[in-house]
Amino acid sequence: TSAGAATTSAGAATTSAGAATISAGDPLREFETDPVLEPFLADDFDAVTYASKSLTARTSKTVLPALDAGIKSLNAALRGTVTSHYDELLQQLGGIDESERVLDIVRDGVHSLQRSMGKVRVEIVEPHEVVAAKTKQLENLTRTVETLHRVIRTLKLTGRLKDSLGASGGDDAEGGAAVPHSATSGDLAKAAKMLADASELEREGVVEDQEASALAGIEVIDRDARWLERAGKDVRSRATQALNAGMDATSQAEVGAALQVFHNLGELDRATDAVIARLASDAVDVFREALDPRELARAMGGGVSASERAGGVGVGGGRGIWPPAGQEHRWAEALWQRLGAACERAKAAGMGAWHLQRVLAKKRDPISHALFLDEVIAARKNLWREMVAQSTEAEAAASNPEDAISLPCERFVWQLSKGAGEAFGRAHAAAAFARDTLLKGFPRLVTLIEGLHEGLAKESGAAATAAKGGVPPAVRKDGSDLTVLLHACDAVSNAYLARSFQRLSEPVNALLSPSALQSLQGIASGQISASGTVGTRAAAEDVRRFLLRVREELDAVARHPTLVTQVTAGAVAKALRLMAQKAEIGVVDGAEARVFVVGTAQTPAQAKNAALAGVLEEICAALGNLVPLLPDEPAKALENALAQVAETATEALEPVMSAAHAEVHKRLASMHKEDWAGGDPPMGEGCSTYMTQVIDVVAHVSEEHLSRVRQGSLLGHASSSSKGASGFVPSTIAAEALARRCLELFVRHVSLLRNLGENGKLRLTKDMGELEQAVSAYLVPATSSLGDAYKALRALRPFLFLSLDEVASSALVEDIPPANVLLHLYSHAPKEMATPYERAGLAPPQYSAWLDKNSDAEVWAGVKGTLEAYESQCKTRGVTPHAAVDVMRLVGSRAFEKRRS
C-alpha cells in the first residue's frame, strides 16, 4: 500500500514537473540516473507493474525510502516553482474570472435574442401568409380580367369582321363560305386587317411553355375561332385569285389592291415569293417541254431510236430519240424554234415579275405609309440574318445564294436559271439528238439567252423611264444577271469547251507527239526523229491547222463577249499550255546543245531546239497579234498562255544563247590586251581585232542559229517587228537580250581601261560605230529599242573625250551606269591610285564577272576603299591628293544618294 501511494505521488509529481520549468537541482535529472526512480520517466509507465516487480524482487524496503525522498524532492521543486511565479499565476487566475463573466453576459444576450426572434416569427408568419394568399388572389383576378378583356376584344373584333363581310358565324354557318362573293377588294383589305388583329390577340394569349392559347376552351371563342380560320382561308384565297388575275391582266390597280390584303395579313413577302415562284416555274416548264425529245418527235411526226437509226430492230433497242435519216437539219431548226419560243415565254414571265416589282415600288400602306418594296426587302434580309445566325459556319457557306436576294426580279432570274439549268442538264445527260444539237449550236443558245436578257432590260427600262418613278429594272445594269442566266447552260457550256479544247489539241498532239519525246539523247544524236512533226514539212501544216482552228473557235463566239472569254481561257489558252508542256519535254539541254564555235554548223541538238523554237515562235507571233484585238479579260488569259509558250521557246534557245553570251564576253574582254595609250589613229574601214571577233560571233548567232528559228516560222523575221507580237517572239527576245548584253559589256570593258590616249579613244569610237552597225544588221534593226544599254553606248562616245573638270557637270553621266562612270575616272587618276580590281588582285575580265553578281552599291564601297587608301598614302607622303578623288566622291555620292531617295 505504501508503495502504491508512493507510485501515485511520483506519477503526479512527474506530470507537474513536465508542466513547469524546474530551477537548478531539477529532481527529474536525478531520476534519470537513479535506477529506482528512472522508470517513472517513461511514457508508458504502469504503477501496478512497477509495484509487482518491486514486491517480487523483495526490494520494497530499499525502494520505499527512495520513493519518499523523490516525493519530497518533487514537492520542494513544485513549491519553489509556484513561489517564483506567484504573481503570474494570480494574474492568470484574474483573467479566467473575467472571461467567465464575459461569457455569462454573451450567453444572456443570446438567450434574449432567441426569445425576440421567436416573438417576431409569431408576429410575421400569419400576416405573410395572408399577404401571399391575397397576392395570389389578385394575380388570378388580374389574369381573369385580362382574359375577359381579350375575350371581349376578340368578340368585338369578330363581330366587326362579320358585319364588314355581311356574314354570320357559329355552328350553323360552319359549312358555308365565310367571305361572300360580293366582297370587294376594300372589304377584303379591311377583313385582312381585322384577321391580323385577331391573330395578334391570339398570340398575346399564348401561355409560356404551352402551344395552346389561354382562350382555348371558351366555347364562344372556340366557335368564332373556327369561323375565323375559314374566313382567313377565304380571304387568302380571294386575295390570291385577285393577285393572279391582276398579274394576268397586268393591272397595277388590281395587283396593288391584292397586295394590300396580304400586307394587312402580314404575309406580303410570302405572297410575293409565291408569285415569283409560279412565274419561274411556268417559264422552266416551257424550257422542259421545248427540250423534251418525245414532244419534239410528236411535233415532227415521229422519230426513231438509236438502234433503228443504226439499222437495228425495235424502238427500245437504242437510247434516246433521233430524227429519221435526212431530217436532222429540219429537226434542229424545230428545236431552236422551240427554244426561241421558250425564251419569249420566259421573257413574258420576267416582265410579269417586273410588273409585280413595279407595283411594290409604287404602292404604300395608307396607314403607315411604308413602301411595299421596302417591306419585302426588309423581310428577306431579316430572314437571311436569322438563317445565318442559326446555322453553323459550314452551313452558312453552303447556303443557297438565292436566299440573300431581296428584289423579286432577281429572285425570278435565279429561280429561272436554276430550273432551266436542270432542264438543260437532263437534256445533255441524255445521249440523244437534243444534246448534239445544243453542242453544235451552243453559240446560238447563248444568243437566245442574251436576247432574253436584252429584251427584259429594254422593255423594263423603257417602261420604268416612262413611269418616272424609282422602279428598279428587271435586270441589273451591270449585266450580272446575264451571268446568272448563262449559268443555266453550264452543262452544255462545259461540254462545248471540252470539245473545243479537244479540237485544238489534235494538231498540238500531232505536232508534238509524246512517243517521239521518249529519248532526248537519241533525238539530239539524230538516231530518233524530231518530236512529232517538228522539223519536218508536216510541221507547217500542223501549225496552220492549229491557228485555223483557233480562228474558227473564236469566230464562232465572236458576237458573245462572255463566250469569247470562256473559249479563250478554257480552250485556246489551255491548248497553248498543253503545247508548252509537251514542247518543254522535247528541249535538249546538254553539252552538245551548248557547243559554240564560230564558222561551224549547228549540232543535231541545236537543230532540234531551233526547229522546236521556230514552231513555237510562229504560234506566238500569230496569236500575239490577236491580243490587242480582244477584250481585257480574254486578252489577259491569252497573253499569259503565250508567255508560257514563249518561255518554253526561250528555254529551247537558252543553251546556245548562253554560250554565245559567254563568247561575246570573252571577245570583248580581249580588248585589255591591246595598247590604248598610244598606237596609230583608226585608218580606213577596218576596226580593232577584238571587235572583228565580236562581230563574227554576232553574225554567226544570227545566221546559223536565230535564222534557223525564223526559217521555222512562216512569218519570218518580219514577225519580230509586229507591235502586238513582239513581246511573244522568242527569237526577237533572244536577239534583243544578246544585243543588250553586247552593248552593256562593251561600255563596261571600255570603262575598265586604265591607260587611254587620244588615238586609243578614237579607235574605241570607231569600234562603237562598228558594234552598233553589227547589232542593227544581225540582231535588232531598231537599236534605239534597246533602252538604257543603247543610251549608255551613245553617251560613251562624247564622254571619253571629257576632261576631269567637265565630268562632274556633264549631263552624259545620267545616261551611263554610275559604276562605269566611277571606273572610267580611274583613267584620269595617277597610277598610285589603285583600282578596286587591282586591290583585289583580279584581272579586268574577272572583275567584270564579279560585277555581274554584285550591285552598284558594292562597287561604290570598293571605290571608296581605294580612295581612302590613296588619301592615306598622300597624307603619309605629305602630298595633296589628285583632283580625281573629289570628282569621284561627288559622282558617287550623287548617284547612290539619288538611288536611295
Side-chain angles (χ1 to χ4, degrees):
T1 304
S2 300
T7 301
T8 304
S9 300
T14 302
T15 305
S16 301
T21 302
I22 307 300
S23 60
D26 186 356
L28 294 179
R29 295 188 181 275
E30 298 175 359
F31 285 7
E32 292 177 355
T33 59
D34 191 338
V36 177
L37 300 177
E38 189 271 336
F40 289 94
L41 299 177
D43 294 337
D44 55 348
F45 174 78
D46 186 3
V48 176
T49 303
Y50 181 82
S52 298
K53 287 182 179 181
S54 299
L55 293 174
T56 301
R58 297 181 178 180
T59 57
S60 57
K61 292 182 179 181
T62 58
V63 170
L64 288 175
L67 292 178
D68 291 336
I71 292 172
K72 291 178 181 180
S73 176
L74 287 175
N75 287 332
L78 288 174
R79 189 179 299 108
T81 301
V82 171
T83 302
S84 61
H85 294 84
Y86 182 76
D87 295 335
E88 296 179 7
L89 293 174
L90 289 179
Q91 185 177 358
Q92 291 179 3
L93 182 60
I96 293 173
D97 293 338
E98 181 66 23
S99 298
E100 289 180 353
R101 286 195 297 272
V102 172
L103 183 60
D104 291 338
I105 294 172
V106 172
R107 188 180 297 109
D108 293 339
V110 170
H111 291 322
S112 177
L113 180 60
Q114 289 177 345
R115 288 193 297 272
S116 299
M117 290 297 296
K119 294 179 181 179
V120 171
R121 186 181 297 110
V122 173
E123 295 175 356
I124 289 179
V125 168
E126 184 177 354
H128 172 71
E129 293 177 351
V130 173
V131 170
K134 295 294 183 180
T135 302
K136 186 66 176 178
Q137 184 179 6
L138 179 61
E139 182 181 352
N140 294 334
L141 288 173
T142 303
R143 188 180 296 114
T144 303
V145 170
E146 291 177 354
T147 302
L148 291 175
H149 283 168
R150 282 197 295 272
V151 169
I152 294 172
R153 289 167 59 191
T154 302
L155 293 176
K156 289 182 177 180
L157 187 61
T158 305
R160 291 203 308 271
L161 179 59
K162 292 178 180 178
D163 294 340
S164 175
L165 296 176
S168 61
D171 296 335
D172 55 343
E174 190 169 346
V179 181
H181 295 286
S182 60
T184 63
S185 58
D187 296 335
L188 291 177
K190 294 178 182 178
K193 182 63 176 174
M194 285 184 279
L195 285 171
D197 293 340
S199 299
E200 183 65 25
L201 283 174
E202 184 179 0
R203 284 193 295 271
E204 289 179 2
V206 174
V207 181
E208 293 183 1
D209 301 330
Q210 296 183 12
E211 296 183 358
S213 172
L215 302 181
I218 302 176
E219 182 179 356
V220 64
I221 296 298
D222 291 342
R223 184 176 63 251
D224 286 343
R226 290 190 291 272
W227 182 87
L228 287 173
E229 183 179 358
R230 291 202 317 276
K233 292 180 180 179
D234 290 347
V235 168
R236 290 181 180 85
S237 176
R238 292 286 299 277
T240 301
Q241 294 174 5
L243 180 58
N244 292 336
M247 291 294 299
D248 294 338
T250 63
S251 171
Q252 297 186 45
E254 294 181 13
V255 173
L259 291 177
Q260 183 66 57
V261 176
F262 286 109
H263 179 270
N264 291 346
L265 287 172
E267 302 173 0
L268 181 60
D269 56 328
R270 281 181 283 177
T272 303
D273 290 346
V275 174
I276 295 299
R278 179 178 64 82
L279 292 172
S281 177
D282 293 344
V284 170
D285 289 342
V286 175
F287 277 103
R288 288 198 185 100
E289 183 178 354
L291 293 170
D292 190 348
R294 294 180 179 80
E295 293 294 333
L296 178 61
R298 188 179 298 110
M300 300 303 296
V304 297
S305 66
S307 60
E308 290 176 326
R309 183 181 176 86
V313 180
V315 177
R319 184 182 177 187
I321 298 177
W322 295 83
Q327 298 293 319
E328 292 84 354
H329 180 71
R330 191 168 68 89
W331 275 52
E333 286 301 319
L335 177 61
W336 289 117
Q337 290 177 5
R338 291 166 66 87
L339 288 175
C343 288
E344 289 297 323
R345 292 280 298 277
K347 184 180 73 173
M351 289 304 298
W354 181 78
H355 172 65
L356 175 65
Q357 181 170 291
R358 174 174 58 178
V359 175
L360 289 170
K362 292 181 177 180
K363 180 70 175 176
R364 292 182 180 273
D365 182 61
I367 299 176
S368 63
H369 301 287
L371 189 66
F372 280 11
L373 185 60
D374 292 342
E375 295 283 336
V376 172
I377 293 175
R380 294 298 308 176
K381 289 182 177 179
N382 292 335
L383 180 62
W384 170 253
R385 292 192 190 99
E386 293 177 1
M387 186 185 310
V388 172
Q390 296 175 2
S391 60
T392 63
E393 184 175 351
E395 292 173 346
S399 60
N400 189 353
E402 180 190 351
D403 295 332
I405 298 175
S406 303
L407 289 177
C409 285
E410 294 180 3
R411 292 183 61 77
F412 170 80
V413 169
W414 269 94
Q415 293 180 15
L416 173 62
S417 175
K418 182 179 179 181
E422 294 175 355
F424 281 114
R426 284 195 295 268
H428 178 264
F433 170 74
R435 185 190 68 173
D436 291 349
T437 303
L438 292 174
L439 278 178
K440 291 178 181 178
F442 178 64
R444 188 171 179 179
L445 176 60
V446 174
T447 301
L448 293 177
I449 300 298
E450 290 177 345
L452 166 61
H453 181 270
E454 184 179 359
L456 289 174
K458 285 184 177 180
E459 294 187 19
S460 63
T465 302
K468 297 181 180 180
V471 181
V475 293
R476 289 180 175 269
K477 294 181 180 180
D478 59 2
S480 58
D481 289 331
L482 176 58
T483 304
V484 176
L485 287 173
L486 289 176
H487 279 310
C489 312
D490 279 350
V492 184
S493 174
N494 294 335
Y496 179 81
L497 293 177
R499 184 172 292 186
S500 177
F501 171 70
Q502 182 181 3
R503 289 193 293 265
L504 291 171
S505 61
E506 289 175 359
V508 174
N509 293 329
L511 187 66
L512 302 167
S513 173
S515 61
L517 300 176
Q518 294 178 356
S519 176
L520 299 182
Q521 183 178 1
I523 293 173
S525 63
Q527 299 174 2
I528 300 179
S529 61
S531 56
T533 61
V534 172
T536 67
R537 294 181 179 179
E541 182 60 29
D542 287 332
V543 171
R544 289 192 185 94
R545 194 153 56 98
F546 176 75
L547 295 176
L548 180 61
R549 290 194 177 177
V550 170
R551 179 177 179 179
E552 291 173 351
E553 296 297 335
L554 292 178
D555 287 345
V557 297
R559 297 172 54 190
H560 312 287
T562 304
L563 273 186
V564 170
T565 302
Q566 293 179 353
V567 171
T568 303
V572 177
K574 189 176 180 181
L576 289 172
R577 287 192 292 270
L578 174 65
M579 179 182 297
Q581 293 170 1
K582 287 180 171 291
E584 187 176 1
I585 300 175
V587 174
V588 181
D589 184 14
E592 188 178 353
R594 297 182 180 274
V595 173
F596 190 89
V597 180
V598 176
T600 61
Q602 283 183 324
T603 64
Q606 292 172 345
K608 178 192 179 297
N609 286 344
L612 188 62
V615 169
L616 299 180
E617 175 168 312
E618 179 180 356
I619 293 172
C620 287
L623 296 183
N625 293 323
L626 184 62
V627 172
L629 306 178
L630 293 174
D632 292 341
E633 190 173 352
K636 185 66 175 178
L638 181 59
E639 185 177 354
N640 292 337
L642 286 175
Q644 187 172 347
V645 176
E647 182 180 357
T648 303
T650 305
E651 290 177 1
L653 295 175
E654 190 276 334
V656 68
M657 294 307 298
S658 62
H661 282 221
E663 190 68 19
V664 167
H665 194 184
K666 177 182 176 182
R667 300 304 179 187
L668 285 173
S670 65
M671 74 165 60
H672 296 281
K673 299 178 181 179
E674 300 191 15
D675 180 18
W676 300 102
D680 298 329
M683 302 295 292
E685 298 296 330
C687 57
S688 302
T689 303
Y690 80 92
M691 183 54 65
T692 301
Q693 296 174 351
V694 171
I695 294 174
D696 291 342
V697 172
V698 171
H700 180 73
V701 170
S702 177
E703 295 172 354
E704 186 62 29
H705 296 282
L706 294 181
S707 63
R708 303 300 176 90
V709 178
R710 290 162 180 163
Q711 288 174 5
S713 170
L714 299 177
L715 299 178
H717 186 85
S719 66
S720 63
S721 62
S722 172
K723 181 178 180 181
S726 59
F728 305 110
V729 182
S731 64
T732 301
I733 297 173
E736 289 180 351
L738 180 60
R740 194 174 292 108
R741 181 66 172 168
C742 289
L743 302 186
E744 291 173 352
L745 288 176
F746 178 79
V747 174
R748 177 189 295 174
H749 282 287
V750 170
S751 301
L752 291 173
L753 295 174
R754 186 68 187 270
N755 299 319
L756 278 177
E758 291 301 319
N759 290 340
K761 294 178 181 179
L762 291 174
R763 292 203 307 274
L764 287 173
T765 303
K766 176 69 173 176
D767 293 342
M768 290 181 203
E770 294 294 334
L771 178 60
E772 183 177 352
Q773 184 178 358
V775 167
S776 177
Y778 295 112
L779 297 178
V780 181
T783 52
S784 59
S785 64
L786 296 176
D788 292 341
Y790 179 72
K791 290 170 62 178
L793 180 71
R794 300 291 292 180
L796 181 64
R797 183 176 302 175
F799 182 72
L800 290 176
F801 296 93
L802 293 178
S803 65
L804 185 61
D805 296 334
E806 295 172 335
V807 170
S809 59
S810 175
L812 298 173
V813 176
E814 300 294 332
D815 294 334
I816 302 175
N820 292 339
V821 174
L822 292 171
L823 294 172
H824 169 71
L825 289 176
Y826 283 99
S827 64
H828 294 273
K831 293 184 179 180
E832 290 78 7
M833 184 189 297
T835 62
Y837 60 86
E838 289 173 344
R839 290 192 67 198
L842 300 176
Q846 294 174 319
Y847 187 67
S848 176
W850 180 87
L851 290 174
D852 288 332
K853 302 176 182 178
N854 296 274
S855 64
D856 287 350
E858 293 174 294
V859 176
W860 172 230
V863 170
K864 288 194 295 184
T866 63
L867 297 180
E868 292 171 357
Y870 172 69
E871 289 175 333
S872 178
Q873 293 176 6
C874 292
K875 185 177 180 180
T876 302
R877 297 199 308 265
V879 297
T880 303
H882 193 272
V885 174
D886 296 333
V887 177
M888 294 173 73
R889 288 191 182 278
L890 179 61
V891 172
S893 60
R894 283 180 181 176
F896 294 103
E897 287 179 4
K898 180 179 179 181
R899 287 194 176 188
R900 284 196 298 268
S901 61

PDB file of all heavy atoms in Angstrom, residues 204-222:
ATOM      1  N   GLU A 204     -51.095  37.013 -78.209  1.00  0.00           N
ATOM      2  CA  GLU A 204     -50.924  37.619 -76.890  1.00  0.00           C
ATOM      3  C   GLU A 204     -51.390  36.691 -75.783  1.00  0.00           C
ATOM      4  O   GLU A 204     -50.885  36.733 -74.667  1.00  0.00           O
ATOM      5  CB  GLU A 204     -51.715  38.938 -76.813  1.00  0.00           C
ATOM      6  CG  GLU A 204     -51.119  40.069 -77.644  1.00  0.00           C
ATOM      7  CD  GLU A 204     -51.955  41.321 -77.528  1.00  0.00           C
ATOM      8  OE1 GLU A 204     -52.958  41.293 -76.775  1.00  0.00           O
ATOM      9  OE2 GLU A 204     -51.629  42.322 -78.192  1.00  0.00           O
ATOM     10  N   GLY A 205     -52.352  35.825 -76.074  1.00  0.00           N
ATOM     11  CA  GLY A 205     -52.903  34.949 -75.045  1.00  0.00           C
ATOM     12  C   GLY A 205     -52.198  33.625 -74.909  1.00  0.00           C
ATOM     13  O   GLY A 205     -52.610  32.782 -74.118  1.00  0.00           O
ATOM     14  N   VAL A 206     -51.141  33.424 -75.665  1.00  0.00           N
ATOM     15  CA  VAL A 206     -50.417  32.156 -75.577  1.00  0.00           C
ATOM     16  C   VAL A 206     -49.629  32.117 -74.264  1.00  0.00           C
ATOM     17  O   VAL A 206     -48.883  33.037 -73.946  1.00  0.00           O
ATOM     18  CB  VAL A 206     -49.475  31.986 -76.784  1.00  0.00           C
ATOM     19  CG1 VAL A 206     -48.621  30.727 -76.606  1.00  0.00           C
ATOM     20  CG2 VAL A 206     -50.276  31.907 -78.062  1.00  0.00           C
ATOM     21  N   VAL A 207     -49.822  31.048 -73.488  1.00  0.00           N
ATOM     22  CA  VAL A 207     -49.131  30.882 -72.221  1.00  0.00           C
ATOM     23  C   VAL A 207     -47.727  30.360 -72.492  1.00  0.00           C
ATOM     24  O   VAL A 207     -47.507  29.546 -73.381  1.00  0.00           O
ATOM     25  CB  VAL A 207     -49.900  29.906 -71.300  1.00  0.00           C
ATOM     26  CG1 VAL A 207     -49.188  29.747 -69.960  1.00  0.00           C
ATOM     27  CG2 VAL A 207     -51.328  30.407 -71.100  1.00  0.00           C
ATOM     28  N   GLU A 208     -46.777  30.867 -71.711  1.00  0.00           N
ATOM     29  CA  GLU A 208     -45.403  30.442 -71.904  1.00  0.00           C
ATOM     30  C   GLU A 208     -45.290  28.940 -71.689  1.00  0.00           C
ATOM     31  O   GLU A 208     -45.926  28.358 -70.816  1.00  0.00           O
ATOM     32  CB  GLU A 208     -44.468  31.172 -70.926  1.00  0.00           C
ATOM     33  CG  GLU A 208     -44.367  32.662 -71.200  1.00  0.00           C
ATOM     34  CD  GLU A 208     -43.373  33.329 -70.268  1.00  0.00           C
ATOM     35  OE1 GLU A 208     -42.770  32.608 -69.447  1.00  0.00           O
ATOM     36  OE2 GLU A 208     -43.224  34.560 -70.362  1.00  0.00           O
ATOM     37  N   ASP A 209     -44.405  28.326 -72.486  1.00  0.00           N
ATOM     38  CA  ASP A 209     -44.137  26.881 -72.446  1.00  0.00           C
ATOM     39  C   ASP A 209     -45.358  26.061 -72.837  1.00  0.00           C
ATOM     40  O   ASP A 209     -45.397  24.853 -72.607  1.00  0.00           O
ATOM     41  CB  ASP A 209     -43.654  26.433 -71.052  1.00  0.00           C
ATOM     42  CG  ASP A 209     -42.385  27.156 -70.636  1.00  0.00           C
ATOM     43  OD1 ASP A 209     -41.596  27.518 -71.542  1.00  0.00           O
ATOM     44  OD2 ASP A 209     -42.201  27.358 -69.421  1.00  0.00           O
ATOM     45  N   GLN A 210     -46.339  26.709 -73.462  1.00  0.00           N
ATOM     46  CA  GLN A 210     -47.514  25.978 -73.939  1.00  0.00           C
ATOM     47  C   GLN A 210     -47.837  26.465 -75.347  1.00  0.00           C
ATOM     48  O   GLN A 210     -47.616  27.623 -75.688  1.00  0.00           O
ATOM     49  CB  GLN A 210     -48.726  26.205 -73.034  1.00  0.00           C
ATOM     50  CG  GLN A 210     -48.555  25.670 -71.621  1.00  0.00           C
ATOM     51  CD  GLN A 210     -49.810  25.862 -70.794  1.00  0.00           C
ATOM     52  OE1 GLN A 210     -50.870  26.181 -71.328  1.00  0.00           O
ATOM     53  NE2 GLN A 210     -49.682  25.658 -69.490  1.00  0.00           N
ATOM     54  N   GLU A 211     -48.325  25.555 -76.155  1.00  0.00           N
ATOM     55  CA  GLU A 211     -48.683  25.914 -77.520  1.00  0.00           C
ATOM     56  C   GLU A 211     -50.103  26.468 -77.612  1.00  0.00           C
ATOM     57  O   GLU A 211     -50.408  27.251 -78.499  1.00  0.00           O
ATOM     58  CB  GLU A 211     -48.545  24.686 -78.435  1.00  0.00           C
ATOM     59  CG  GLU A 211     -47.111  24.172 -78.551  1.00  0.00           C
ATOM     60  CD  GLU A 211     -47.018  23.009 -79.515  1.00  0.00           C
ATOM     61  OE1 GLU A 211     -48.069  22.611 -80.046  1.00  0.00           O
ATOM     62  OE2 GLU A 211     -45.892  22.499 -79.732  1.00  0.00           O
ATOM     63  N   ALA A 212     -50.985  26.036 -76.711  1.00  0.00           N
ATOM     64  CA  ALA A 212     -52.388  26.451 -76.787  1.00  0.00           C
ATOM     65  C   ALA A 212     -52.552  27.855 -76.238  1.00  0.00           C
ATOM     66  O   ALA A 212     -51.814  28.301 -75.365  1.00  0.00           O
ATOM     67  CB  ALA A 212     -53.271  25.473 -76.011  1.00  0.00           C
ATOM     68  N   SER A 213     -53.551  28.560 -76.724  1.00  0.00           N
ATOM     69  CA  SER A 213     -53.868  29.904 -76.255  1.00  0.00           C
ATOM     70  C   SER A 213     -54.596  29.821 -74.919  1.00  0.00           C
ATOM     71  O   SER A 213     -55.260  28.828 -74.591  1.00  0.00           O
ATOM     72  CB  SER A 213     -54.726  30.634 -77.290  1.00  0.00           C
ATOM     73  OG  SER A 213     -55.180  31.861 -76.774  1.00  0.00           O
ATOM     74  N   ALA A 214     -54.484  30.919 -74.134  1.00  0.00           N
ATOM     75  CA  ALA A 214     -55.182  30.966 -72.844  1.00  0.00           C
ATOM     76  C   ALA A 214     -56.696  31.025 -73.030  1.00  0.00           C
ATOM     77  O   ALA A 214     -57.451  30.763 -72.095  1.00  0.00           O
ATOM     78  CB  ALA A 214     -54.696  32.169 -72.039  1.00  0.00           C
ATOM     79  N   LEU A 215     -57.123  31.419 -74.239  1.00  0.00           N
ATOM     80  CA  LEU A 215     -58.559  31.498 -74.520  1.00  0.00           C
ATOM     81  C   LEU A 215     -59.133  30.168 -74.974  1.00  0.00           C
ATOM     82  O   LEU A 215     -60.344  30.067 -75.212  1.00  0.00           O
ATOM     83  CB  LEU A 215     -58.822  32.565 -75.589  1.00  0.00           C
ATOM     84  CG  LEU A 215     -58.329  33.986 -75.262  1.00  0.00           C
ATOM     85  CD1 LEU A 215     -58.682  34.931 -76.406  1.00  0.00           C
ATOM     86  CD2 LEU A 215     -58.919  34.483 -73.958  1.00  0.00           C
ATOM     87  N   ALA A 216     -58.251  29.167 -75.167  1.00  0.00           N
ATOM     88  CA  ALA A 216     -58.750  27.869 -75.612  1.00  0.00           C
ATOM     89  C   ALA A 216     -59.644  27.269 -74.535  1.00  0.00           C
ATOM     90  O   ALA A 216     -59.345  27.347 -73.341  1.00  0.00           O
ATOM     91  CB  ALA A 216     -57.570  26.936 -75.905  1.00  0.00           C
ATOM     92  N   GLY A 217     -60.731  26.681 -74.972  1.00  0.00           N
ATOM     93  CA  GLY A 217     -61.680  26.078 -74.049  1.00  0.00           C
ATOM     94  C   GLY A 217     -62.903  26.936 -73.783  1.00  0.00           C
ATOM     95  O   GLY A 217     -63.895  26.447 -73.238  1.00  0.00           O
ATOM     96  N   ILE A 218     -62.840  28.226 -74.154  1.00  0.00           N
ATOM     97  CA  ILE A 218     -64.014  29.091 -74.023  1.00  0.00           C
ATOM     98  C   ILE A 218     -64.894  28.841 -75.243  1.00  0.00           C
ATOM     99  O   ILE A 218     -64.452  29.028 -76.384  1.00  0.00           O
ATOM    100  CB  ILE A 218     -63.594  30.568 -73.930  1.00  0.00           C
ATOM    101  CG1 ILE A 218     -62.650  30.775 -72.724  1.00  0.00           C
ATOM    102  CG2 ILE A 218     -64.798  31.459 -73.828  1.00  0.00           C
ATOM    103  CD1 ILE A 218     -62.101  32.184 -72.606  1.00  0.00           C
ATOM    104  N   GLU A 219     -66.128  28.412 -74.996  1.00  0.00           N
ATOM    105  CA  GLU A 219     -66.968  27.924 -76.089  1.00  0.00           C
ATOM    106  C   GLU A 219     -67.188  28.965 -77.162  1.00  0.00           C
ATOM    107  O   GLU A 219     -67.039  28.681 -78.365  1.00  0.00           O
ATOM    108  CB  GLU A 219     -68.320  27.468 -75.502  1.00  0.00           C
ATOM    109  CG  GLU A 219     -69.253  26.882 -76.561  1.00  0.00           C
ATOM    110  CD  GLU A 219     -70.563  26.415 -75.946  1.00  0.00           C
ATOM    111  OE1 GLU A 219     -70.684  26.491 -74.697  1.00  0.00           O
ATOM    112  OE2 GLU A 219     -71.444  25.991 -76.700  1.00  0.00           O
ATOM    113  N   VAL A 220     -67.517  30.195 -76.767  1.00  0.00           N
ATOM    114  CA  VAL A 220     -67.804  31.220 -77.762  1.00  0.00           C
ATOM    115  C   VAL A 220     -66.562  31.568 -78.574  1.00  0.00           C
ATOM    116  O   VAL A 220     -66.637  31.826 -79.779  1.00  0.00           O
ATOM    117  CB  VAL A 220     -68.379  32.473 -77.070  1.00  0.00           C
ATOM    118  CG1 VAL A 220     -67.356  33.099 -76.129  1.00  0.00           C
ATOM    119  CG2 VAL A 220     -68.834  33.504 -78.101  1.00  0.00           C
ATOM    120  N   ILE A 221     -65.399  31.522 -77.895  1.00  0.00           N
ATOM    121  CA  ILE A 221     -64.142  31.810 -78.599  1.00  0.00           C
ATOM    122  C   ILE A 221     -63.803  30.674 -79.555  1.00  0.00           C
ATOM    123  O   ILE A 221     -63.393  30.911 -80.703  1.00  0.00           O
ATOM    124  CB  ILE A 221     -63.006  32.040 -77.594  1.00  0.00           C
ATOM    125  CG1 ILE A 221     -63.279  33.290 -76.747  1.00  0.00           C
ATOM    126  CG2 ILE A 221     -61.667  32.178 -78.314  1.00  0.00           C
ATOM    127  CD1 ILE A 221     -63.356  34.568 -77.543  1.00  0.00           C
ATOM    128  N   ASP A 222     -63.983  29.434 -79.104  1.00  0.00           N
ATOM    129  CA  ASP A 222     -63.680  28.299 -79.969  1.00  0.00           C
ATOM    130  C   ASP A 222     -64.588  28.296 -81.194  1.00  0.00           C
ATOM    131  O   ASP A 222     -64.138  27.980 -82.312  1.00  0.00           O
ATOM    132  CB  ASP A 222     -63.835  26.988 -79.205  1.00  0.00           C
ATOM    133  CG  ASP A 222     -62.756  26.825 -78.135  1.00  0.00           C
ATOM    134  OD1 ASP A 222     -61.744  27.547 -78.238  1.00  0.00           O
ATOM    135  OD2 ASP A 222     -62.926  26.002 -77.217  1.00  0.00           O
TER     136      ASP A 222
END
